[in-house]
Amino acid sequence: MDINLTGAGGRIQASYHKSSKQEAPIAVIFHDIPQNGGNMNEQVTYTLFYAFVQKGFNVIRFNFRGIGNTQGVFENGEAELTDASTIVDWIQEQNEESSEFWLAGFGFGAWIAMQILMRRIEITGFIAVSPQLKKFDFSFFNPVPCDGLLIESEAETLMFDDTIKAFVTGVNKQKTAKLDYAVINEANSKYNRKLKDLFLTVSKYLNKRLP
């Protein structure tokens, strides 16, 4: 269902799926920057949302400020972290008995999700799709408090393979959490015509992790 929440920048447009299962886990989905067509209905973001819905989660996706019907101006960082915290607080208040709490994001959204992860001890898992390791600063990501999955398109691995592998190796050397790594073969940066493969990769990982 479509909902409007109130954040520091005004109205936040969101879409929320309430599971029929008692004590269902919860997940928050974060989209990419608007310059790359990012919004809560963009195809990769929706695929992540749908994968969690299919696994019985209470799931919310939303537009960062300045996008869609969310008020304010997109600011590429701190303001969006504030929006994210508002959403996380809200879904937790709606589902206080949930034992599993996941974050997932695409591009810029993955970067935001991973920052929220470092600030919230209650997070139990995360999925980062194409987190743009060369563009954003990930020096904060240490020590990682929970296990997660990093997904890249084949197109991005052809350009940034050394950077991606070094990041995954660095996280796993911390030994505080395990970061799995998957590549979607023949996928471009927007996963066009490879959304089913993306969906199946996320679903397989959730099956592996969920009790």
Side-chain angles (χ1 to χ4, degrees):
M1 62 179 175
D2 294 331
I3 59 174
N4 289 303
L5 304 178
T6 302
R11 181 181 62 247
I12 299 177
Q13 179 188 17
S15 181
Y16 176 56
H17 169 81
K18 176 67 175 175
S19 174
S20 60
K21 298 179 181 179
Q22 288 278 29
E23 301 180 5
I26 55 181
V28 180
I29 314 299
F30 306 88
H31 67 71
D32 199 5
I33 56 175
Q35 293 91 328
N36 291 340
N39 63 76
M40 72 177 189
N41 294 318
E42 177 274 329
Q43 60 182 5
V44 173
T45 302
Y46 184 80
T47 298
L48 289 171
F49 177 86
Y50 186 64
F52 280 94
V53 168
Q54 289 297 100
K55 293 303 175 186
F57 278 69
N58 300 299
V59 197
I60 191 168
R61 69 188 196 276
F62 69 100
N63 280 326
F64 287 116
R65 61 184 63 188
I67 301 171
N69 290 327
T70 297
Q71 295 176 323
V73 178
F74 189 81
E75 298 182 22
N76 293 295
E78 286 300 320
E80 288 68 42
L81 279 169
T82 301
D83 293 342
S85 293
T86 297
I87 297 296
V88 168
D89 288 341
W90 183 85
I91 197 170
Q92 282 185 296
E93 290 170 2
Q94 304 302 309
N95 304 280
E96 294 180 347
E97 297 181 355
S98 296
S99 59
E100 290 276 335
F101 189 3
W102 287 61
L103 305 178
F106 173 43
F108 171 83
W111 182 59
I112 293 292
M114 292 158 87
Q115 291 185 71
I116 294 293
L117 167 70
M118 300 301 291
R119 304 176 184 203
R120 302 272 184 156
I121 62 172
E122 66 270 27
I123 306 300
T124 54
F126 70 96
I127 295 176
V129 179
S130 302
Q132 303 296 306
L133 298 171
K134 294 283 284 186
K135 181 175 183 179
F136 300 115
D137 179 10
F138 285 87
S139 59
F140 64 86
F141 208 55
N142 184 3
V144 181
C146 66
D147 294 352
L149 171 65
L150 174 66
I151 301 175
E152 292 282 3
S153 68
E154 183 177 20
E156 288 163 317
T157 63
L158 292 175
M159 294 185 290
F160 308 118
D161 191 50
D162 290 344
T163 299
I164 297 166
K165 288 182 177 178
F167 180 81
V168 174
T169 299
V171 170
N172 286 328
K173 281 183 177 179
Q174 296 174 21
K175 298 183 179 179
T176 57
K178 184 176 188 295
L179 180 60
D180 284 15
Y181 174 45
V183 177
I184 306 298
N185 292 327
E186 301 180 2
N188 61 20
S189 61
K190 291 187 178 295
Y191 298 84
N192 294 329
R193 298 184 297 279
K194 290 295 177 178
L195 294 174
K196 182 178 180 180
D197 292 347
L198 177 62
F199 172 86
L200 291 173
T201 300
V202 173
S203 297
K204 181 179 178 181
Y205 184 71
L206 291 176
N207 284 339
K208 170 185 171 182
R209 286 285 312 278
L210 293 174

